[in-house]
């Protein structure tokens, strides 16, 4: 065979490579003039059997001649040919062979044909592999990168060039991380190093792949990598397939955001908290910044109207940004040309992909525009918050600086989770509205500022439960009684809500009514028990009765105490309520061994009264069970903590009260049950401020009363009150003389007012009436009522006392 300048591939996988393929040479007449050992091996002909013979007569079957002739014609026209042709084996069978033929010019104009052949199966497989390799580098949408043993890029395909904008020439000889931003370069380089060193392939690992020449463009890729080795095990490098999964990543992120929004938004029935949860989910989940602006009635839990003019209230902004002109709690003007105004007016999401392309954007408030430009804001989504057909406000989502502009899918996701959040916000608004109404009702039923009393110094605290369980039925009261005495009461209606507050109001009103009758504590509690049973019976017969409300009334408890600053005696009774504590000035703290009694409404069981004498300055503490259960539910530990706080009762009463609250209540959350705390430090009236006389029941008793009163008032410096007091005392003593038996007791008490009391052994109550002009009597009590500020009657086991109160003259 002659030589030629044409080049043939020497790749070992190439079936036509020299030394691997069967070769032959034909002259210009088709005579075989060259025959290789490999040709002999594949076709069975020795060289002497084929040389000098026409190839078509020897190697082509008669039935294949038409095909062979067309191949010859084609080859002569083009100067070469490549394909599969059936040839005849030495043993006569047909063999499919792949051929590559090329014309060669020798010795001037003499032409020969150089043929290289291989089994058709090898040729087809090789062509398929070459087509696959060519497709991977030139037509595949999946990126392919080949790294050498030094981790430097050897070759990349066109898919990577197209996606990254970097040419193959620029990447060859460099580490791939050099073309990525610093945050993304590290994982890319570590992946190649890991596969190269361990030989462990990595499948579908995702990472961010932002290039240095386009760092603002988000790009997420899925990479699979494996180590390349030759047949001897020598490491040739690492191959990576790289697929751009940015859209899939974004879709997954949006779905994750929706799931997160469902879990995180609406965890409480608080409007502000719900709005903050919405803002914290949206930024950084979907945007760089998120603001939630609500209509004022929504933020304040009020009624909504169709009028949306004016301003919005910024309820949440995430993450915190001090440069933003409107912070949480600020009023945000609703400018007519703003996207927010258009969003509310059209009730649909507004997507501004590039704010710089809208000239009206720069016509808005200059201060807001300057801040936005300073933050690098370039894209905006505004979504209306709507629930049950009502507009609640708007959510504004901002992207700044390096973030890519929002897309339509982003707006759809923002609208979806904002719609869910709007329902939660509206639920919170409605709950806040109802809670506010119930709390207003509850507070209106509680006493206001407790005035200074001669019997006790009072400090009280009422802490409503957190919003989730709703308001409760805890209550307290301080009721001035006749004779400078005072009634202290604390009660608890189980449950929460309007029914609990209403039940509490009824019980408090009943206690005040019973207290005005000056009944003993055990009798007050007993009559209150009858009232609760009656209310429960009425509720059961009511067609619209609420079973939970009935259970609340039946679950009520209370403790009622009366303290007398003259005798220093305190009388108490309780119905299923925690026992009060008494701390004396010497620091001794005692839980009163007061008979518990059943809760109110059970009926048929007696209530016992407990008496004790209190030294001046003693501290009586009444409370509801929420105080002991507020921190961790360990009542015994809480009671010990309370006793420790009360051991320092010599401190200022308000400070002591605050100390109890701080010690027993958790600092990180509101209590789950209402808490009522009432603390009273006892006072004692000096003996010189009390005067008591026994009067014989005779006709001169009234005159004697006048003499005693005149002298005592002169001693007290109250001579100007002599006439009125004499007239009042004379009338009361005269009534006792006429209608009572036994001795009469006259008592004067000087406190913040002048108290005059007349006691006798009769239980007959005097009645005030308007006497006719012809009546000779019946005007005494009428005069008493006109001359005094208050008057009344209280009963004891051995009789009754009629009392009056007159204001002291200005000093």
């Amino acid at each position: 065979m002659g030589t030629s300048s044409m080049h043939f591939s020497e790749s070992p996988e190439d079936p036509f490579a020299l030394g691997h393929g069967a070769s032959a040479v034909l002259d210009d007449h088709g005579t075989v003039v060259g025959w290789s050992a490999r040709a002999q091996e594949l076709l069975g002909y020795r060289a002497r059997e084929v040389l000098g013979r026409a190839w078509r007569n020897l190697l082509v079957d008669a039935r294949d001649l038409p095909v062979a002739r067309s191949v010859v014609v084609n080859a002569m026209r083009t100067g070469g040919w490549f394909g599969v042709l059936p040839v005849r084996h030495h043993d006569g069978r047909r063999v499919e062979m792949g051929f590559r033929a090329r014309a060669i010019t020798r010795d001037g104009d003499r032409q020969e044909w150089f043929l290289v052949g291989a089994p058709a199966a090898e040729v087809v497989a090789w062509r398929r592999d070459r087509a696959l390799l060519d497709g991977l580098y030139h037509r595949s949408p999946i990126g392919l990168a080949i790294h050498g043993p030094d981790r430097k890029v050897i070759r990349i395909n066109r898919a990577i060039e197209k996606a990254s904008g970097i040419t193959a020439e620029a990447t060859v000889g460099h580490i791939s991380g050099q073309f990525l931003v610093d945050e993304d370069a590290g994982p890319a380089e570590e992946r190649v190093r890991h596969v190269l060193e361990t030989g462990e392939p990595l499948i579908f690992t995702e990472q961010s792949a932002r290039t240095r020449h386009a760092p603002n463009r988000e790009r997420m890729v899925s990479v699979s990598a494996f180590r390349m080795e030759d047949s001897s095990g020598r490491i040739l490098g690492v191959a990576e397939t790289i697929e751009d999964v940015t859209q899939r990543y974004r879709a997954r992120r949006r779905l994750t955001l929706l799931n997160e929004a469902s879990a995180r938004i609406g965890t409480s029935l608080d409007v502000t908290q719900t709005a903050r949860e919405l803002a914290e989910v949206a930024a950084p989940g979907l945007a760089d910044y998120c603001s939630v602006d609500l209509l004022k009635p929504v933020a304040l839990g009020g009624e909504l109207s169709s009028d949306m003019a004016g301003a919005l209230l910024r309820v949440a902004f995430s993450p915190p940004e001090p440069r933003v002109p409107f912070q949480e709690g600020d009023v945000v003007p609703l400018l007519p040309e703003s996207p927010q105004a258009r969003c509310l007016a059209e009730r649909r999401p507004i997507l501004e992909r590039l704010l710089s392309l809208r000239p009206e954007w720069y016509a808005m408030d200059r201060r807001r525009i300057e801040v936005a430009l300073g933050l690098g804001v370039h894209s905006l989504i505004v979504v209306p918050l709507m629930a049950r057909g009502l507009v609640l406000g708007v959510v504004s989502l901002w992207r700044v600086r390096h973030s890519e502009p929002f897309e339509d899918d982003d707006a759809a996701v923002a609208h979806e989770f904002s719609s869910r959040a709007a329902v939660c916000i509206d639920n919170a608004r409605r709950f806040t509205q109802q809670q506010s109404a119930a709390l207003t009702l509850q507070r209106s039923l509680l006493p206001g500022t407790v005035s200074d009393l001669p019997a006790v110094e009072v400090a009280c605290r009422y802490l409503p439960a957190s919003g989730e369980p709703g308001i409760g039925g805890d209550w307290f009261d301080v009721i001035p009684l006749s004779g400078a005495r005072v009634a202290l009461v604390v009660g608890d209606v189980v449950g929460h809500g309007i029914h609990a507050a209403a039940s509490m109001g009824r019980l408090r009103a009943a206690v005040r009514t019973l207290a005005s009758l000056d009944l003993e504590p055990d009798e007050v509690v007993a009559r209150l028990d009858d009232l609760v049973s009656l209310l429960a019976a009425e509720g059961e017969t009511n067609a619209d009765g609420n079973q939970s409300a009935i259970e609340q009334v039946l679950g009520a408890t209370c403790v009622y105490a009366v303290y007398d600053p003259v005798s220093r005696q305190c009388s108490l009774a309780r119905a299923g309520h925690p026992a009060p504590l008494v701390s004396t000035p010497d620091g001794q703290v005692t839980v009163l061994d007061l008979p518990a009694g059943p809760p109110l409404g059970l009926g048929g069981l007696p209530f016992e009264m407990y008496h004790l004498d209190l030294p001046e300055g003693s501290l009586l503490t009444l409370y509801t069970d929420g105080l002991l259960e507020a921190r961790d539910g360990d009542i015994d530990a809480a009671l010990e903590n309370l006793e420790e706080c009360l051991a320092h009762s010599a401190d200022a009463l308000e400070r002591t009260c605050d100390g109890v609250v701080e010690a027993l209540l958790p600092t990180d959350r509101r209590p789950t049950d209402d808490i009522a705390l009432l603390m009273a430090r006892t006072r004692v009236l000096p003996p010189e401020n009390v005067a008591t006389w026994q009067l014989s029941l005779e006709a001169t008793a009234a005159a004697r009363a006048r003499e005693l009163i005149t002298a005592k008032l002169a001693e007290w410096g109250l001579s100007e009150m002599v006439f009125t007091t004499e007239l009042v005392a004379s009338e009361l003593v005269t009534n006792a003389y006429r209608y009572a038996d036994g001795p009469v007791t006259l008592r004067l008490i000087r406190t913040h007012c002048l108290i005059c009391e007349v006691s006798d052994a009769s239980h007959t109550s005097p009645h005030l009436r308007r006497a006719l002009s012809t009546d000779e009597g019946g005007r005494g009590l009428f005069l008493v009522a006109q001359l005094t500020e208050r008057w009344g009657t209280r009963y004891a086991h051995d009789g009754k006392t009629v009392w009056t109160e007159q204001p002291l003259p200005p000093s």
Side-chain angles (χ1 to χ4, degrees):
M1 285 178 58
T3 60
S4 170
S5 61
M6 71 178 296
H7 172 74
F8 290 94
S9 171
E10 292 299 327
S11 171
E13 290 83 8
D14 188 351
F16 299 117
L18 293 178
H20 183 74
S23 60
V25 180
L26 306 178
D27 63 12
D28 53 356
H29 299 293
T31 302
V32 178
V33 297
W35 192 256
S36 70
R38 178 64 173 163
Q40 176 180 335
E41 178 183 344
L42 291 177
L43 296 178
Y45 297 100
R46 294 183 176 88
R48 65 175 180 270
E49 293 177 310
V50 296
L51 292 175
R53 299 182 63 179
W55 70 277
R56 66 174 64 90
N57 297 329
L58 178 66
L59 300 176
V60 180
D61 193 92
R63 55 184 164 175
D64 296 326
L65 281 175
V67 176
R69 290 191 185 99
S70 65
V71 168
V72 170
V73 171
N74 185 46
M76 294 181 66
R77 184 175 65 252
T78 60
W81 181 80
F82 174 79
V84 176
L85 184 68
V87 296
R88 185 167 52 199
H89 193 272
H90 186 272
D91 58 13
R93 57 189 172 88
R94 295 171 73 240
V95 178
E96 294 282 341
M97 294 284 289
F99 289 100
R100 178 186 291 168
R102 185 64 57 86
I104 303 173
T105 302
R106 293 181 181 277
D107 301 329
D109 57 355
R110 188 167 61 87
Q111 191 177 56
E112 292 182 348
W113 290 89
F114 182 72
L115 283 75
V116 179
E122 295 182 12
V123 173
V124 170
W126 175 75
R127 290 180 65 185
R128 184 171 58 243
D129 292 345
R130 288 297 299 267
L132 174 62
L133 189 61
D134 181 73
L136 286 176
Y137 277 107
H138 297 93
R139 289 178 292 278
S140 172
I142 299 177
L144 178 64
I146 306 299
H147 305 266
D150 57 358
R151 295 186 288 119
K152 293 181 180 180
V153 175
I154 297 176
R155 187 175 181 183
I156 63 174
N157 67 351
R158 289 182 181 175
I160 293 182
E161 291 182 343
K162 182 178 179 181
S164 65
I166 304 173
T167 64
E169 292 77 10
T171 60
V172 172
H174 298 277
I175 294 176
S176 59
Q178 295 178 351
F179 304 98
L180 302 177
V181 298
D182 293 340
E183 296 87 345
D184 300 342
E189 295 176 6
E190 174 60 24
R191 180 176 54 251
V192 175
R193 184 200 62 78
H194 175 80
V195 174
L196 192 65
E197 293 179 357
T198 66
E200 177 186 354
L202 297 178
I203 309 299
F204 300 135
T205 59
E206 289 191 3
Q207 78 153 87
S208 176
R210 294 165 295 168
T211 59
R212 291 185 181 273
H213 77 278
N216 298 342
R217 181 186 175 190
E218 181 183 47
R219 185 164 175 262
M220 186 65 62
V221 296
S222 174
V223 183
S224 295
F226 62 92
R227 189 167 70 182
M228 300 183 299
E229 301 174 0
D230 61 14
S231 57
S232 66
R234 182 167 58 96
I235 298 174
L236 304 178
V238 173
E240 290 182 313
T241 59
I242 304 170
E243 181 182 3
D244 190 327
V245 294
T246 305
Q247 294 303 321
R248 186 172 70 194
Y249 169 76
R250 290 175 179 172
R252 187 169 66 242
R253 184 175 60 188
R254 294 180 185 117
L255 180 60
T256 301
L257 180 64
L258 289 177
N259 294 335
E260 184 181 3
S262 299
R264 291 182 54 188
I265 299 175
T267 61
S268 70
L269 287 171
D270 181 87
V271 172
T272 300
Q273 178 63 25
T274 304
R276 285 176 179 162
E277 291 168 350
L278 168 58
E280 290 169 359
V281 167
L286 186 62
D288 295 308
Y289 292 102
C290 175
S291 63
V292 181
D293 303 326
L294 301 179
L295 298 175
K296 282 188 177 181
V298 178
L300 301 177
E303 287 290 346
L304 293 177
S305 65
S306 58
D307 181 18
M308 296 184 297
L312 299 167
L313 190 66
R314 176 143 297 171
V315 181
F317 193 94
S318 179
E321 174 53 64
R323 289 177 290 175
V324 174
F326 302 108
Q327 298 293 331
E328 293 181 1
D330 292 345
V331 174
V332 181
L334 191 60
L335 304 178
E337 63 273 23
S338 66
Q340 287 78 6
R342 288 193 290 122
C343 174
L344 288 177
E346 300 174 15
R347 298 192 173 193
R348 66 176 181 85
I350 301 294
L351 170 60
E352 300 287 359
R353 286 184 175 83
L354 293 175
L355 292 171
S356 60
L357 299 180
R358 298 190 63 89
E360 62 269 24
W361 169 254
Y362 295 96
M364 292 171 55
D365 183 354
R366 294 305 306 172
R367 179 188 175 200
R368 298 165 74 174
I369 295 302
E370 290 173 0
V371 171
L373 294 177
L375 293 174
V377 172
H378 61 81
S379 191
L380 168 67
I381 295 176
V382 184
V383 182
L385 286 170
M386 295 184 60
R388 303 178 179 92
L390 299 174
V391 176
L392 310 178
V394 294
V395 178
S396 300
L397 304 170
W398 316 83
R399 282 188 177 171
V400 302
R401 301 192 188 283
H402 304 311
S403 300
E404 292 189 358
F406 285 115
E407 302 174 348
D408 290 334
D409 289 343
D410 296 322
V413 171
H415 189 214
E416 176 66 24
F417 73 71
S418 295
S419 297
R420 299 182 187 181
V423 175
C424 297
I425 290 175
D426 190 51
N427 288 340
R429 175 192 68 85
R430 290 153 65 94
F431 175 80
T432 300
Q433 187 178 15
Q434 296 178 5
Q435 185 80 351
S436 177
L439 196 57
T440 300
L441 169 64
Q442 186 182 42
R443 290 192 181 278
S444 68
L445 297 175
L446 292 172
T449 303
V450 179
S451 59
D452 188 33
L453 299 173
V456 290
E457 176 191 1
V458 174
C460 52
R461 297 289 185 273
Y462 172 75
L463 292 92
S466 59
E468 285 78 1
I471 63 169
D474 292 19
W475 54 284
F476 65 90
D477 210 345
V478 180
I479 308 171
L481 301 178
S482 62
R485 297 170 306 136
V486 65
L488 306 171
V489 58
V490 169
D492 185 5
V493 176
V494 299
H496 299 86
I498 293 291
H499 290 294
S503 299
M504 176 270 287
R506 299 166 94 175
L507 294 183
R508 178 172 176 256
V511 169
R512 276 198 163 258
T513 301
L514 295 172
S516 68
L517 299 177
D518 270 315
L519 302 176
E520 296 288 356
D522 59 338
E523 191 170 356
V524 170
V525 175
R527 295 196 181 187
L528 198 61
D529 178 65
D530 294 338
L531 174 63
V532 170
S533 299
L534 179 61
L535 293 176
E538 289 179 352
E540 291 177 352
T541 58
N542 189 343
D544 298 327
N546 186 302
Q547 185 62 33
S548 64
I550 297 171
E551 294 173 354
Q552 285 173 342
V553 175
L554 291 175
T557 65
C558 79
V559 58
Y560 184 87
V562 174
Y563 173 69
D564 187 345
V566 176
S567 64
R568 297 187 295 106
Q569 186 180 73
C570 183
S571 303
L572 307 95
R574 63 171 173 150
H577 201 81
L581 285 81
V582 171
S583 49
T584 54
D586 59 2
Q588 295 293 322
V589 181
T590 305
V591 179
L592 295 181
D593 188 17
L594 174 62
L600 298 174
L602 295 185
L605 297 174
F607 297 94
E608 300 181 43
M609 188 163 55
Y610 183 86
H611 301 282
L612 74 159
D613 292 332
L614 297 176
E616 183 176 6
S618 297
L619 186 61
L620 183 63
T621 302
L622 295 80
Y623 56 91
T624 55
D625 54 5
L627 182 67
L628 300 183
E629 299 170 353
R631 187 174 290 274
D632 54 14
D634 189 342
I635 296 179
D636 292 335
L639 186 59
E640 292 180 3
N641 202 359
L642 176 59
E643 293 178 8
E644 183 179 349
C645 294
L646 297 179
H648 306 286
S649 59
D651 296 340
L653 188 57
E654 289 292 336
R655 185 185 307 166
T656 302
C657 195
D658 288 336
V660 169
V661 171
E662 292 174 2
L664 274 71
L665 265 66
T667 58
D668 57 341
R669 55 184 172 85
R670 289 174 60 186
T672 56
D673 192 12
D674 283 17
I675 294 175
L677 174 64
L678 178 60
M679 306 180 74
R681 177 169 286 147
T682 62
R683 293 168 173 164
V684 175
L685 292 182
E688 59 270 19
N689 284 7
V690 181
T692 306
W693 302 281
Q694 293 287 332
L695 302 177
S696 300
L697 199 60
E698 54 188 25
T700 60
R704 177 60 180 163
R706 288 193 292 272
E707 293 175 2
L708 295 171
I709 286 173
T710 300
K712 180 53 69 175
L713 292 183
E715 177 185 338
W716 286 346
L718 300 175
S719 297
E720 58 189 281
M721 300 183 67
V722 169
F723 176 77
T724 302
T725 309
E726 282 185 344
L727 183 57
V728 169
S730 179
E731 178 59 33
L732 298 181
V733 171
T734 300
N735 282 344
Y737 171 72
R738 289 181 177 179
Y739 305 110
D741 299 324
V744 175
T745 301
L746 172 64
R747 185 167 73 164
L748 289 182
I749 302 175
R750 181 181 65 175
T751 61
H752 63 290
C753 63
L754 180 63
I755 301 172
C756 178
E757 298 180 343
V758 175
S759 304
D760 58 51
S762 172
H763 287 85
T764 303
S765 176
H767 296 285
L768 178 66
R769 66 185 181 89
R770 183 176 295 277
L772 300 177
S773 59
T774 56
D775 291 343
E776 295 183 359
R779 297 179 179 84
L781 284 181
F782 180 77
L783 290 175
V784 169
Q786 296 300 311
L787 295 174
T788 60
E789 189 172 59
R790 290 200 311 154
W791 77 280
T793 304
R794 68 173 180 268
Y795 296 89
H797 296 294
D798 55 355
K800 70 174 184 299
T801 298
V802 182
W803 54 269
T804 66
E805 292 181 0
Q806 302 174 68
L808 297 178
S811 56

